[in-house]
Short mmCIF file of all heavy atoms in Angstrom, two decimals:
data_model
loop_
_atom_site.label_atom_id
_atom_site.label_comp_id
_atom_site.label_asym_id
_atom_site.label_seq_id
_atom_site.Cartn_x
_atom_site.Cartn_y
_atom_site.Cartn_z
N ALA A 85 6.57 -11.43 -1.80
CA ALA A 85 7.24 -11.23 -2.99
C ALA A 85 6.50 -11.65 -4.23
O ALA A 85 5.88 -12.83 -4.11
CB ALA A 85 8.62 -11.92 -2.94
N ARG A 86 6.38 -10.98 -5.24
CA ARG A 86 5.79 -11.43 -6.48
C ARG A 86 6.86 -11.40 -7.59
O ARG A 86 7.57 -10.51 -7.72
CB ARG A 86 4.62 -10.39 -6.90
CG ARG A 86 3.50 -10.41 -5.95
CD ARG A 86 2.27 -10.94 -6.62
NE ARG A 86 1.19 -11.08 -5.69
CZ ARG A 86 0.15 -10.24 -5.63
NH1 ARG A 86 0.10 -9.25 -6.40
NH2 ARG A 86 -0.75 -10.46 -4.76
N ARG A 87 6.82 -12.45 -8.35
CA ARG A 87 7.80 -12.56 -9.45
C ARG A 87 7.07 -12.43 -10.79
O ARG A 87 5.94 -12.93 -10.98
CB ARG A 87 8.37 -13.96 -9.29
CG ARG A 87 9.54 -14.18 -10.32
CD ARG A 87 10.47 -15.22 -9.81
NE ARG A 87 11.63 -15.48 -10.67
CZ ARG A 87 12.58 -14.65 -10.92
NH1 ARG A 87 12.54 -13.50 -10.35
NH2 ARG A 87 13.59 -15.00 -11.77
N THR A 88 7.67 -11.69 -11.67
CA THR A 88 7.20 -11.45 -12.97
C THR A 88 8.29 -11.96 -13.97
O THR A 88 9.41 -12.30 -13.54
CB THR A 88 6.83 -9.99 -13.30
OG1 THR A 88 8.04 -9.23 -13.36
CG2 THR A 88 5.92 -9.37 -12.22
N LEU A 89 8.01 -11.86 -15.22
CA LEU A 89 8.98 -12.22 -16.24
C LEU A 89 10.23 -11.37 -16.15
O LEU A 89 11.27 -11.74 -16.49
CB LEU A 89 8.29 -12.11 -17.61
CG LEU A 89 9.05 -12.53 -18.82
CD1 LEU A 89 9.46 -14.05 -18.70
CD2 LEU A 89 8.27 -12.35 -20.06
N TYR A 90 10.05 -10.11 -15.67
CA TYR A 90 11.06 -9.14 -15.62
C TYR A 90 11.73 -8.80 -14.32
O TYR A 90 12.57 -8.01 -14.25
CB TYR A 90 10.60 -7.83 -16.25
CG TYR A 90 9.93 -8.10 -17.62
CD1 TYR A 90 8.56 -8.02 -17.84
CD2 TYR A 90 10.70 -8.46 -18.76
CE1 TYR A 90 8.00 -8.25 -19.02
CE2 TYR A 90 10.11 -8.76 -19.95
CZ TYR A 90 8.79 -8.67 -20.09
OH TYR A 90 8.17 -8.99 -21.27
N GLY A 91 11.27 -9.45 -13.26
CA GLY A 91 11.84 -9.19 -11.95
C GLY A 91 10.91 -9.56 -10.83
O GLY A 91 9.87 -10.16 -11.03
N THR A 92 11.33 -9.12 -9.67
CA THR A 92 10.52 -9.48 -8.44
C THR A 92 10.26 -8.13 -7.72
O THR A 92 11.09 -7.22 -7.71
CB THR A 92 11.40 -10.34 -7.49
OG1 THR A 92 11.72 -11.56 -8.24
CG2 THR A 92 10.61 -10.74 -6.28
N TYR A 93 9.13 -8.07 -7.12
CA TYR A 93 8.77 -6.90 -6.27
C TYR A 93 7.94 -7.35 -5.09
O TYR A 93 7.37 -8.48 -5.11
CB TYR A 93 8.05 -5.82 -7.07
CG TYR A 93 6.71 -6.25 -7.57
CD1 TYR A 93 5.54 -5.98 -6.77
CD2 TYR A 93 6.56 -6.94 -8.75
CE1 TYR A 93 4.27 -6.38 -7.31
CE2 TYR A 93 5.29 -7.33 -9.28
CZ TYR A 93 4.14 -7.01 -8.47
OH TYR A 93 2.94 -7.42 -8.94
N ASN A 94 7.92 -6.57 -4.11
CA ASN A 94 7.08 -6.88 -2.88
C ASN A 94 5.78 -6.18 -2.94
O ASN A 94 5.70 -5.01 -3.35
CB ASN A 94 7.89 -6.45 -1.61
CG ASN A 94 9.14 -7.14 -1.37
OD1 ASN A 94 9.27 -8.34 -1.75
ND2 ASN A 94 10.16 -6.53 -0.78
N VAL A 95 4.74 -6.84 -2.50
CA VAL A 95 3.37 -6.26 -2.45
C VAL A 95 2.70 -6.55 -1.10
O VAL A 95 2.84 -7.73 -0.60
CB VAL A 95 2.56 -6.75 -3.67
CG1 VAL A 95 2.30 -8.27 -3.66
CG2 VAL A 95 1.23 -6.03 -3.76
N ALA A 96 2.07 -5.59 -0.52
CA ALA A 96 1.45 -5.72 0.78
C ALA A 96 0.17 -6.55 0.67
O ALA A 96 -0.50 -6.55 -0.30
CB ALA A 96 1.05 -4.33 1.28
N GLU A 97 -0.16 -7.21 1.77
CA GLU A 97 -1.41 -7.82 1.88
C GLU A 97 -2.46 -6.72 1.97
O GLU A 97 -2.17 -5.67 2.52
CB GLU A 97 -1.47 -8.70 3.18
CG GLU A 97 -0.45 -9.89 3.16
CD GLU A 97 -0.39 -10.56 4.49
OE1 GLU A 97 -0.65 -9.92 5.55
OE2 GLU A 97 -0.02 -11.73 4.46
N PRO A 98 -3.74 -6.91 1.58
CA PRO A 98 -4.74 -5.87 1.58
C PRO A 98 -4.87 -5.26 3.03
O PRO A 98 -5.10 -4.05 3.12
CB PRO A 98 -5.97 -6.52 1.10
CG PRO A 98 -5.49 -7.68 0.24
CD PRO A 98 -4.21 -8.12 0.87
N GLU A 99 -4.89 -6.09 3.99
CA GLU A 99 -5.11 -5.57 5.39
C GLU A 99 -3.96 -4.68 5.82
O GLU A 99 -4.15 -3.66 6.38
CB GLU A 99 -5.19 -6.79 6.33
CG GLU A 99 -6.42 -7.67 6.09
CD GLU A 99 -6.26 -8.65 4.93
OE1 GLU A 99 -5.13 -8.82 4.41
OE2 GLU A 99 -7.30 -9.21 4.45
N LYS A 100 -2.74 -5.02 5.47
CA LYS A 100 -1.60 -4.23 5.72
C LYS A 100 -1.63 -2.88 4.97
O LYS A 100 -1.29 -1.81 5.46
CB LYS A 100 -0.28 -5.00 5.34
CG LYS A 100 1.03 -4.22 5.61
CD LYS A 100 1.28 -3.95 7.04
CE LYS A 100 2.74 -3.58 7.31
NZ LYS A 100 3.00 -2.21 7.24
N ALA A 101 -2.04 -2.96 3.68
CA ALA A 101 -2.16 -1.76 2.89
C ALA A 101 -3.13 -0.79 3.46
O ALA A 101 -2.89 0.42 3.55
CB ALA A 101 -2.60 -2.13 1.51
N LEU A 102 -4.30 -1.28 4.04
CA LEU A 102 -5.27 -0.42 4.70
C LEU A 102 -4.68 0.22 5.93
O LEU A 102 -4.85 1.44 6.13
CB LEU A 102 -6.53 -1.18 5.04
CG LEU A 102 -7.66 -0.40 5.72
CD1 LEU A 102 -8.19 0.67 4.78
CD2 LEU A 102 -8.75 -1.31 6.13
N LEU A 103 -3.97 -0.57 6.78
CA LEU A 103 -3.40 -0.02 7.98
C LEU A 103 -2.29 1.02 7.55
O LEU A 103 -2.17 2.07 8.22
CB LEU A 103 -2.85 -1.11 8.82
CG LEU A 103 -3.94 -1.91 9.52
CD1 LEU A 103 -3.40 -3.29 10.01
CD2 LEU A 103 -4.56 -1.08 10.69
N ASP A 104 -1.51 0.65 6.61
CA ASP A 104 -0.44 1.66 6.15
C ASP A 104 -1.19 3.00 5.71
O ASP A 104 -0.69 4.02 6.01
CB ASP A 104 0.26 1.11 4.86
CG ASP A 104 1.33 0.07 5.20
OD1 ASP A 104 1.63 -0.11 6.42
OD2 ASP A 104 1.73 -0.60 4.31
N TRP A 105 -2.29 2.85 4.96
CA TRP A 105 -3.07 4.03 4.51
C TRP A 105 -3.49 4.87 5.72
O TRP A 105 -3.38 6.05 5.79
CB TRP A 105 -4.22 3.62 3.64
CG TRP A 105 -4.91 4.74 3.03
CD1 TRP A 105 -4.63 5.51 1.96
CD2 TRP A 105 -6.14 5.32 3.57
NE1 TRP A 105 -5.56 6.46 1.74
CE2 TRP A 105 -6.44 6.41 2.75
CE3 TRP A 105 -6.96 4.94 4.66
CZ2 TRP A 105 -7.62 7.12 2.97
CZ3 TRP A 105 -8.11 5.79 4.89
CH2 TRP A 105 -8.36 6.81 4.03
N PHE A 106 -4.17 4.18 6.72
CA PHE A 106 -4.61 4.91 7.92
C PHE A 106 -3.42 5.57 8.60
O PHE A 106 -3.53 6.75 8.99
CB PHE A 106 -5.23 3.94 8.94
CG PHE A 106 -6.68 3.83 8.84
CD1 PHE A 106 -7.33 2.83 8.05
CD2 PHE A 106 -7.52 4.71 9.52
CE1 PHE A 106 -8.67 2.75 7.95
CE2 PHE A 106 -8.92 4.67 9.40
CZ PHE A 106 -9.45 3.63 8.66
N TYR A 107 -2.28 4.85 8.74
CA TYR A 107 -1.13 5.40 9.42
C TYR A 107 -0.56 6.66 8.76
O TYR A 107 -0.33 7.67 9.41
CB TYR A 107 -0.03 4.30 9.53
CG TYR A 107 1.30 4.81 10.00
CD1 TYR A 107 1.51 5.01 11.27
CD2 TYR A 107 2.39 4.92 9.01
CE1 TYR A 107 2.78 5.41 11.70
CE2 TYR A 107 3.57 5.28 9.50
CZ TYR A 107 3.80 5.57 10.82
OH TYR A 107 5.06 6.00 11.22
N LEU A 108 -0.49 6.58 7.47
CA LEU A 108 0.13 7.69 6.71
C LEU A 108 -0.91 8.91 6.61
O LEU A 108 -0.42 10.04 6.59
CB LEU A 108 0.53 7.23 5.33
CG LEU A 108 1.81 6.32 5.40
CD1 LEU A 108 2.11 5.66 4.07
CD2 LEU A 108 3.00 7.17 5.77
N GLN A 109 -2.17 8.64 6.57
CA GLN A 109 -3.15 9.68 6.60
C GLN A 109 -3.06 10.49 7.98
O GLN A 109 -2.95 11.65 7.96
CB GLN A 109 -4.58 9.14 6.37
CG GLN A 109 -4.88 8.65 5.02
CD GLN A 109 -4.95 9.82 4.00
OE1 GLN A 109 -3.98 10.06 3.27
NE2 GLN A 109 -6.00 10.50 3.97
N ARG A 110 -2.98 9.70 9.01
CA ARG A 110 -2.89 10.27 10.36
C ARG A 110 -1.57 11.04 10.51
O ARG A 110 -1.53 12.13 11.11
CB ARG A 110 -3.00 9.23 11.42
CG ARG A 110 -4.39 8.65 11.46
CD ARG A 110 -5.08 9.07 12.62
NE ARG A 110 -6.35 8.41 12.73
CZ ARG A 110 -7.48 8.93 13.16
NH1 ARG A 110 -7.44 10.20 13.61
NH2 ARG A 110 -8.59 8.30 13.18
N LYS A 111 -0.49 10.46 10.02
CA LYS A 111 0.82 11.05 10.06
C LYS A 111 0.89 12.44 9.45
O LYS A 111 1.57 13.32 9.94
CB LYS A 111 1.85 10.07 9.47
CG LYS A 111 3.30 10.41 9.72
CD LYS A 111 4.18 9.42 9.14
CE LYS A 111 5.64 9.84 9.16
NZ LYS A 111 6.50 8.90 8.48
N ARG A 112 0.20 12.58 8.33
CA ARG A 112 0.21 13.92 7.71
C ARG A 112 -0.89 14.83 8.17
O ARG A 112 -1.07 15.91 7.65
CB ARG A 112 0.10 13.73 6.19
CG ARG A 112 -1.13 13.24 5.66
CD ARG A 112 -1.15 13.20 4.14
NE ARG A 112 -2.49 13.48 3.67
CZ ARG A 112 -2.93 13.49 2.46
NH1 ARG A 112 -2.09 13.27 1.57
NH2 ARG A 112 -4.19 13.68 2.19
N GLY A 113 -1.66 14.37 9.21
CA GLY A 113 -2.63 15.24 9.82
C GLY A 113 -4.00 15.25 9.11
O GLY A 113 -4.85 16.09 9.45
N ALA A 114 -4.22 14.31 8.24
CA ALA A 114 -5.51 14.29 7.53
C ALA A 114 -6.40 13.27 8.20
O ALA A 114 -5.98 12.22 8.69
CB ALA A 114 -5.23 13.88 6.08
N GLU A 115 -7.74 13.57 8.17
CA GLU A 115 -8.65 12.70 8.67
C GLU A 115 -8.99 11.63 7.62
O GLU A 115 -9.38 11.98 6.57
CB GLU A 115 -9.96 13.40 9.07
CG GLU A 115 -10.98 12.61 9.80
CD GLU A 115 -10.46 12.15 11.16
OE1 GLU A 115 -9.73 12.83 11.82
OE2 GLU A 115 -10.90 10.98 11.60
N PRO A 116 -8.79 10.30 7.96
CA PRO A 116 -9.01 9.30 6.99
C PRO A 116 -10.50 9.24 6.56
O PRO A 116 -11.37 9.11 7.47
CB PRO A 116 -8.60 7.98 7.68
CG PRO A 116 -7.68 8.39 8.74
CD PRO A 116 -8.19 9.79 9.17
N ILE A 117 -10.82 9.36 5.35
CA ILE A 117 -12.16 9.21 4.80
C ILE A 117 -12.31 7.86 4.14
O ILE A 117 -11.62 7.62 3.16
CB ILE A 117 -12.50 10.43 3.89
CG1 ILE A 117 -12.37 11.66 4.62
CG2 ILE A 117 -13.92 10.25 3.30
CD1 ILE A 117 -12.48 12.93 3.76
N THR A 118 -13.16 7.01 4.64
CA THR A 118 -13.28 5.66 4.19
C THR A 118 -14.61 5.30 3.46
O THR A 118 -14.94 4.15 3.34
CB THR A 118 -13.04 4.68 5.39
OG1 THR A 118 -14.03 4.87 6.34
CG2 THR A 118 -11.66 4.82 6.01
N GLU A 119 -15.41 6.31 3.16
CA GLU A 119 -16.69 6.06 2.60
C GLU A 119 -16.74 5.18 1.32
O GLU A 119 -17.61 4.44 1.04
CB GLU A 119 -17.43 7.37 2.30
CG GLU A 119 -17.73 8.16 3.59
CD GLU A 119 -18.07 9.66 3.27
OE1 GLU A 119 -18.03 10.03 2.06
OE2 GLU A 119 -18.53 10.32 4.18
#
Side-chain angles (χ1 to χ4, degrees):
R86 292 246 174 102
R87 186 153 181 69
T88 69
L89 185 60
Y90 308 106
T92 303
Y93 65 94
N94 297 325
V95 63
E97 296 172 333
E99 296 78 13
K100 178 69 163 90
L102 179 65
L103 287 161
D104 286 344
W105 183 83
F106 265 96
Y107 171 75
L108 290 166
Q109 288 292 100
R110 295 252 183 212
K111 190 175 169 185
R112 70 176 210 183
E115 188 64 33
I117 299 171
T118 60
E119 295 166 353

